Amino acid sequence: MASLRTMEIITRFQEEWKYHTTLLCIYGFFSTVKPLEPFLIPYLTGPNMNFTTEQVNNQIFPVWTYSYLVVLLPVFLLTDYLRYKPVIMLQCVSLWATSGLLLWSHGVASMQVMQFFYGMVTACDVAYFSYIYSVVDPQYYQKVTAYCRSVQLLGYTVGSVLGQLLVSFNLMSYHEILVLNLVLISIALATSFLLPMPQKSMFFHRQQGKDEQITQCGASTNSNGVQTMDIMNSDQVVSSKSSTGKDSTKEEQVHKGNFDRNNRLEICDNVTVNDNTGHTSVLLQLWRDFLKCYSRQLLCWSLWWALATCGYNQTVNYVQVLWEHVQPSQNFTIYNGGVEAASNLFGAAAAYTVGFINVNWSTWGELALGSFSGLGAGVLFLMTFAGNIWVCYASYVTFKFLYMLLITIAMFQIAADLSVEIYALIFGANTFCALVLQTIITVVVVDSKGLGLNIISQFIVYGTYFSIIALLFLVRGIYTAVSRSHTVHPLCEEEAQPNRDTCHITSSAIK
């Protein structure tokens, strides 16, 4: 009897949202603890691999950008079609292959293959952040999103600190750290096998039949991005009344229930895509939703997202090459791991701070984007020309703090009035645009087949790039702030006395 009750408790726990979230957090933690990542350039250019800085910079690293761009769109669609879990497992296998190639292979071609697998890893992140929305109720979305993002940040921080301690105190060689990394990834892979297989997904497997379609198609989204139900199940529509002369007959009630049911199905057909309509209809619906979502304000935030993320990825991807140029690791005890840990913690603080800033972002948002992007450009130039490793470290932490602050604001503004499904689509589109821009910059500026600029020239380009972003949004922000400050709400001039309170509140919000 006790064993049966224990099994019942375990089964009940496995059906709860906490079980899915716990497994996903365990996976997220062990897949992001990468103690060698802050020391990748010293490892590749050191006696273990003997690559030159130019080979790493101009031949190996550009492959990550190309592979990320190539696989992002197919992975985005396959993630939904395969219902997340297989893609999460693919991410872990690709991560294992990345570390294995670093440990057991040599040569530029092998390292280019390694970068291809790492591009697969980053592209599969969409599965990690989408899986949870298919297995928990909407009321828990905010909690599980916070848990999953926090545990990833914790994993990056622990990995950076662990790597710094192992390197600074000579506790492990780079090869031994890679073996440790493979063990951690193996734990994540084992956890991914335990993840339950979702029965639905956002696009291709949204409904399991018309009855379920009736209950789910009425989902609307409130201002916080949480879905609420507007249409009840049709089985609840037909209710028996007490037997009076005014009551309808049972046959009339059934007919009325079927009529209501058909009406609801017709409404559902306008807002959802049934599995029987085929994959082409799903893609067409995605395209229509995509076009509807880009309003003028949303387009502004998305434009900054794409432009800034492109420059941020380039900076983070090549900053270790700059550090190696400023202070070669063979002549100096490097602190890359500590710097990465500090930048992650400051980035988390920036993201947390946004939740307590009371600003009318519709008026001052563009000006903030321009101003802080200008500061980001300034610290990039300081990092480039200072020639001091400690200045480089401090500038990098500042740059990452500014980006995390602004990207959190942009994500909040975009997600405020969008459902989870559409937010995933917009997120994918913005990331894809950023990768297209990043690929163009990589081909022209970094790749040895293009200009193949040295690392100092590259960072001059990145600083100039952020200066252009800053100028663009400063001009737009000043125009928006001035025009909004002189805007008078029409109700103030046209409506009578009872509307003046509403008019005052609305005008204050605009200003």
Side-chain angles (χ1 to χ4, degrees):
M1 182 67 69
S3 60
L4 290 175
R5 182 163 181 79
T6 302
M7 290 298 297
E8 182 181 350
I9 294 174
I10 294 175
T11 302
R12 189 180 305 146
F13 176 71
Q14 289 178 341
E15 294 174 353
E16 292 182 354
W17 67 274
K18 295 179 181 178
Y19 173 73
H20 305 87
T21 306
T22 300
L23 285 178
L24 202 63
C25 286
I26 293 173
Y27 171 84
F29 177 79
F30 284 102
S31 64
T32 53
V33 178
K34 305 171 186 176
L36 185 70
E37 191 169 87
F39 305 95
L40 184 58
I41 295 299
Y43 173 71
L44 293 175
T45 58
N48 295 285
M49 304 295 282
N50 284 319
F51 291 114
T52 65
T53 303
E54 289 72 22
Q55 285 177 314
V56 174
N57 185 43
N58 303 123
Q59 298 180 37
I60 296 175
F61 276 9
V63 177
W64 171 77
T65 303
Y66 305 149
S67 62
Y68 192 4
L69 176 66
V70 169
V71 302
L72 178 63
L73 186 58
V75 165
F76 179 78
L77 297 175
L78 283 175
T79 294
D80 193 86
Y81 182 72
L82 298 177
R83 289 177 291 179
Y84 315 115
K85 179 179 176 177
V87 180
I88 291 176
M89 296 170 64
L90 174 63
Q91 181 186 43
C92 210
V93 171
S94 300
L95 190 57
W96 207 95
T98 300
S99 296
L101 286 167
L102 281 170
L103 181 61
W104 293 308
S105 65
H106 297 80
V108 173
S110 297
M111 292 301 99
Q112 289 174 334
V113 174
M114 177 271 295
Q115 285 289 290
F116 172 81
F117 277 108
Y118 192 67
M120 184 76 73
V121 171
T122 51
C124 289
D125 263 344
V126 65
Y128 176 80
F129 287 111
S130 301
Y131 172 88
I132 200 69
Y133 299 126
S134 66
V135 293
V136 302
D137 293 332
Q139 60 181 321
Y140 300 117
Y141 282 176
Q142 184 175 354
K143 283 186 177 181
V144 297
T145 301
Y147 294 155
C148 292
R149 289 189 179 276
S150 299
V151 81
Q152 271 203 329
L153 180 62
L154 178 63
Y156 285 123
T157 304
V158 170
S160 299
V161 172
L162 179 61
Q164 186 64 61
L165 292 175
L166 295 176
V167 170
S168 296
F169 294 99
N170 295 318
L171 299 176
M172 284 187 177
S173 65
Y174 288 141
H175 270 111
E176 292 170 335
I177 293 176
L178 275 172
V179 173
L180 173 62
N181 201 36
L182 288 174
V183 173
L184 296 171
I185 296 170
S186 298
I187 297 175
L189 182 59
T191 305
S192 69
F193 279 97
L194 299 176
L195 289 170
M197 188 71 173
Q199 298 303 312
K200 61 186 179 67
S201 61
M202 292 183 182
F203 306 118
F204 286 101
H205 306 284
R206 290 178 66 177
Q207 312 296 336
Q208 299 298 327
K210 288 188 176 182
D211 287 340
E212 186 176 344
Q213 191 177 38
I214 294 172
T215 64
Q216 294 188 9
C217 71
S220 61
T221 305
N222 61 18
S223 60
N224 294 322
V226 178
Q227 292 183 337
T228 56
M229 306 307 295
D230 293 332
I231 299 177
M232 297 176 61
N233 192 304
S234 62
D235 293 335
Q236 298 175 343
V237 173
V238 183
S239 58
S240 299
K241 299 181 181 180
S242 58
S243 56
T244 62
K246 296 180 181 180
D247 291 341
S248 58
T249 65
K250 182 176 181 180
E251 182 178 353
E252 289 173 340
Q253 289 177 356
V254 171
H255 175 73
K256 181 179 182 298
N258 290 335
F259 177 77
D260 291 340
R261 180 187 184 89
N262 292 334
N263 281 346
R264 281 169 171 76
L265 282 175
E266 184 176 355
I267 294 172
C268 292
D269 288 338
N270 293 328
V271 295
T272 62
V273 181
N274 194 283
D275 288 340
N276 296 329
T277 59
H279 305 323
T280 303
S281 299
V282 175
L283 296 176
L284 289 175
Q285 184 66 35
L286 286 176
W287 178 248
R288 286 193 291 267
D289 291 341
F290 172 77
L291 293 178
K292 288 179 182 178
C293 284
Y294 275 105
S295 62
R296 179 179 299 179
Q297 188 67 25
L298 183 61
L299 184 62
C300 176
W301 291 102
S302 295
L303 177 62
W304 182 89
W305 181 328
L307 292 174
T309 300
C310 164
Y312 171 80
N313 287 342
Q314 285 294 103
T315 300
V316 172
N317 201 33
Y318 293 94
V319 71
Q320 285 192 42
V321 181
L322 177 65
W323 293 344
E324 186 70 19
H325 172 81
V326 173
Q327 186 66 64
S329 56
Q330 288 80 8
N331 307 328
F332 177 74
T333 302
I334 56 177
Y335 296 94
N336 296 3
V339 173
E340 288 290 352
S343 66
N344 285 327
L345 291 177
F346 276 101
Y352 182 77
T353 303
V354 170
F356 298 92
I357 299 177
N358 187 16
V359 175
N360 185 356
W361 296 112
S362 62
T363 299
W364 304 106
E366 295 167 2
L367 200 58
L369 293 177
S371 301
F372 287 115
S373 296
L375 289 177
V379 296
L380 283 178
F381 283 124
L382 181 62
M383 187 190 310
T384 304
F385 295 114
N388 183 285
I389 190 62
W390 297 106
V391 174
C392 288
Y393 284 159
S395 299
Y396 176 73
V397 172
T398 304
F399 173 79
K400 202 165 183 177
F401 171 85
L402 293 171
Y403 173 80
M404 290 300 175
L405 178 72
L406 294 179
I407 195 65
T408 305
I409 296 171
M411 292 171 70
F412 168 76
Q413 290 298 309
I414 292 173
D417 297 317
L418 296 178
S419 68
V420 173
E421 292 90 342
I422 303 302
Y423 176 62
L425 180 61
I426 298 301
F427 174 81
N430 292 346
T431 302
F432 183 78
C433 291
L435 278 175
V436 171
L437 292 172
Q438 191 178 342
T439 302
I440 294 173
I441 293 176
T442 301
V443 170
V444 175
V445 175
V446 182
D447 201 307
S448 57
K449 297 178 181 178
L451 295 177
L453 298 180
N454 60 48
I455 193 62
I456 295 296
S457 300
Q458 284 184 43
F459 270 78
I460 293 174
V461 171
Y462 303 152
T464 305
Y465 176 82
F466 270 95
S467 299
I468 295 173
I469 295 176
L471 180 62
L472 175 66
F473 282 90
L474 274 174
V475 172
R476 171 70 185 175
I478 292 172
Y479 171 78
T480 300
V482 171
S483 60
R484 291 286 179 90
S485 64
H486 291 86
T487 300
V488 179
H489 197 273
L491 288 175
C492 296
E493 298 178 352
E494 299 176 2
E495 296 297 324
Q497 179 72 27
N499 291 325
R500 286 182 182 175
D501 291 339
T502 303
C503 167
H504 173 72
I505 295 173
T506 309
S507 299
S508 299
I510 292 176
K511 293 181 181 180

